């Protein structure tokens, strides 16, 4: 560009634009003349006081908006900047212009069409608060450049007021704790809805508020963003309307997808695996539990330690190996691998210790009864009621991570060891399955498995099937088992009859009510090898 053009562009920073419109007539003529003279599209980012915050110079077809400062950013607020830019051809607002407005949360975007050095037409758009039509933005039709009559400043204030009213009405608290739950899958919509209900429970356990959901059924997931760019724009607007600062996907995201999503949005991106790992990290209290969680987190993070430059220098001599040494990324990766090796050694020691404990139990001749089941089915409550213990039992997923064993004396001087284990869940991350092998090894020595299910849960059949599939995968399906239909008191007569048809072998019980557990105790006594105690 010529020095004179640069000087004229710099003067734009001194202009005061109207707060209730797009520009004055003189400013429109100046922009049209400059854009024609340089042969480039020009863009201005203007704050709410009418001051030019940034001047952008593109090529003849587009402009590039660099990363903007995060000042005044809240998940439920607009950025406080509007974009005004020129088009050299007679074209209206492009899809790319609208995407910029969505992902950058701009107050509005306006395009001034230029021809022969003169302004021709103007077109503008702005985002919308939640509305019955579920529209993302309002697009004003193009008008002659000097006939634009909409007060964009007033519209912006009204939009933010509406966002504030929506949030106050929902009573959701801090925006840092609000999450939008998203499912992008090939499965039918009802299946996705049920899976999102479980994801909402996981979010609640992690201390987050599910501020909204979004479902997309696809034939094939987009390898770059998991969903298409247009649907991503809808997702961003939905997150803005829900005042959510976190987006949680019900599917596991690839490292590439996480990186691309992080580049395109300023919200925190999580997937189902990260959420479960965070819950485990919050609930792990014992040394072994913390070791298992850390190992799973490292295994998840390691393939996601990816730099933007693939040509990294290496520690080796000779031609092609000289350079500054290891990059920070390589150091992080090497440290993670070293830590993983140490964690594996420590977990082997944990397994040995638990193996010795099991051997001592075997020598004492005490039968072992293990409680298994879907997470939050009521296993810990059942253990507490039967043994009069005070093991942590909460109405949350994964409240129990570490195995807990208690002796219990039955009538006729019979004693057993009752063990509570970590709850199962569908689509448990593979790394967590391996990390928690030390915990689930307690099941290997069990003489009887008590499969506890939440009979009042709408997906009880799927949950029981998931638990049985995991037991079969772990080659534990040969161990005798009984099925306890917990939370029987929450069912009406119709629900109870349905459960009897589906699970005729099930034993009705309410873990909080000790008298209701008599049938469970009788079933345990009837299925144990009492010859261990010489009975």
């Amino acid at each position: 560009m010529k020095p004179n053009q640069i000087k004229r562009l710099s003067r734009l920073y001194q202009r005061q634009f109207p707060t209730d419109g797009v520009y004055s007539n003189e400013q429109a003529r100046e922009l049209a003349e400059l854009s024609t003279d340089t042969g480039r599209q020009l863009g201005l980012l203007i704050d709410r006081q009418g001051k030019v915050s940034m001047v952008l110079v593109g090529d003849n077809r587009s402009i590039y908006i660099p990363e903007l400062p995060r000042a005044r950013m809240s998940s439920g607020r607009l950025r406080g900047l509007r974009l005004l830019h020129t088009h050299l051809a007679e074209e209206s607002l492009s899809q790319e212009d609208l995407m910029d407005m969505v992902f950058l949360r701009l107050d509005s975007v306006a395009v001034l069409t230029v021809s022969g050095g003169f302004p021709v037409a103007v077109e503008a758009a702005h985002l919308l608060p939640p509305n019955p039509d579920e529209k993302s933005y309002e697009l004003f039709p193009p008008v002659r450049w000097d006939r634009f009559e909409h007060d964009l400043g007033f519209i912006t204030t009204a939009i933010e007021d509406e966002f504030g009213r929506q949030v106050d009405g929902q009573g959701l608290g801090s925006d840092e704790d609000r999450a939008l739950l998203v499912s992008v899958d090939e499965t039918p919509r009802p299946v996705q809805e049920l899976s999102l209900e479980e994801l909402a429970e996981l979010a609640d356990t992690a201390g987050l508020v599910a501020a909204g959901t979004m479902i997309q059924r696809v034939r094939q997931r987009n390898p770059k963003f998991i969903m298409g760019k247009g649907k991503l724009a809808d997702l961003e607007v939905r997150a803005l309307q829900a005042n959510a600062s976190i987006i949680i996907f019900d599917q596991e995201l690839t490292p590439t997808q996480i990186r691309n999503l992080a580049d395109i949005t300023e919200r925190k991106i999580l997937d189902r695996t990260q959420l479960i790992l965070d819950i485990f990290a919050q609930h792990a209290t014992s040394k072994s539990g913390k070791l298992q969680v850390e190992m799973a987190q490292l295994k998840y993070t390691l393939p996601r330690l990816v730099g933007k430059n693939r040509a990294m220098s290496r520690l080796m001599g000779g031609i092609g190996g000289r350079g500054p040494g290891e990059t920070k990324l390589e150091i992080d990766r090497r440290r993670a691998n070293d830590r993983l090796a140490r964690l594996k050694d420590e977990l082997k020691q944990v397994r040995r210790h638990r193996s010795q404990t099991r051997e001592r139990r075997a020598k004492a001749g005490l039968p072992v009864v293990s409680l298994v089941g879907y997470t939050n089915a009521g296993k810990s409550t059942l253990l507490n009621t039967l043994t009069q213990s005070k093991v942590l039992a909460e109405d949350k997923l994964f409240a129990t991570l570490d195995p807990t064993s208690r002796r219990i004396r039955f009538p006729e001087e019979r004693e057993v060891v009752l063990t509570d284990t970590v709850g199962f869940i569908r689509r448990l991350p593979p790394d967590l399955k391996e990390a928690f092998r030390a915990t689930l090894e307690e099941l290997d020595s069990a003489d009887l498995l008590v499969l506890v299910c939440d009979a009042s849960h709408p997906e009880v059949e799927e949950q029981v099937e998931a638990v049985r599939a995991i037991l079969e995968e772990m080659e534990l399906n040969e161990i005798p088992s009984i099925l306890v239909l917990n939370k029987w008191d929450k069912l009406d007569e119709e629900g109870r009859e349905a459960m009897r048809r589906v699970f005729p072998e099930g034993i009705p019980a309410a873990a909080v009510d000790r008298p209701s557990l008599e049938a469970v105790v009788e079933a345990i006594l009837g299925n144990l090898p009492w010859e261990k105690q010489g009975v």
Side-chain angles (χ1 to χ4, degrees), residues 402-432:
D402 299 301
T404 304
S405 298
R406 295 287 186 273
R407 277 196 184 200
I408 178 171
R409 184 180 293 273
F410 288 126
E412 302 177 22
E413 297 301 315
R414 293 176 173 180
E415 282 191 339
V416 302
V417 174
L418 196 61
T419 302
D420 185 17
T421 58
V422 63
F424 295 168
I425 194 169
R426 284 169 295 179
R427 290 154 49 204
L428 186 68
D431 292 338
L432 273 177

Side-chain angles (χ1 to χ4, degrees), residues 110-157:
V111 60
L112 177 66
T113 305
V114 175
S115 179
F118 295 98
V120 177
V122 63
E123 187 178 9
H126 64 83
L127 294 170
L128 286 174
N131 57 88
D133 298 330
E134 295 189 353
K135 290 176 62 178
S136 299
Y137 48 77
E138 177 83 19
L139 184 63
F140 297 120
V143 295
R144 211 176 85 172
W145 68 278
D146 56 350
R147 297 287 176 86
F148 190 83
E149 297 177 348
H150 299 283
D151 187 339
L152 293 180
F154 176 79
I155 291 172
T156 298
T157 302

Side-chain angles (χ1 to χ4, degrees), residues 8 25 33 53 137 141 194 265 281 294 336 380 515:
R8 289 163 63 196
N25 290 348
E33 186 180 339
S53 176
Y137 48 77
L194 288 171
T265 180
E294 186 180 354
S380 298

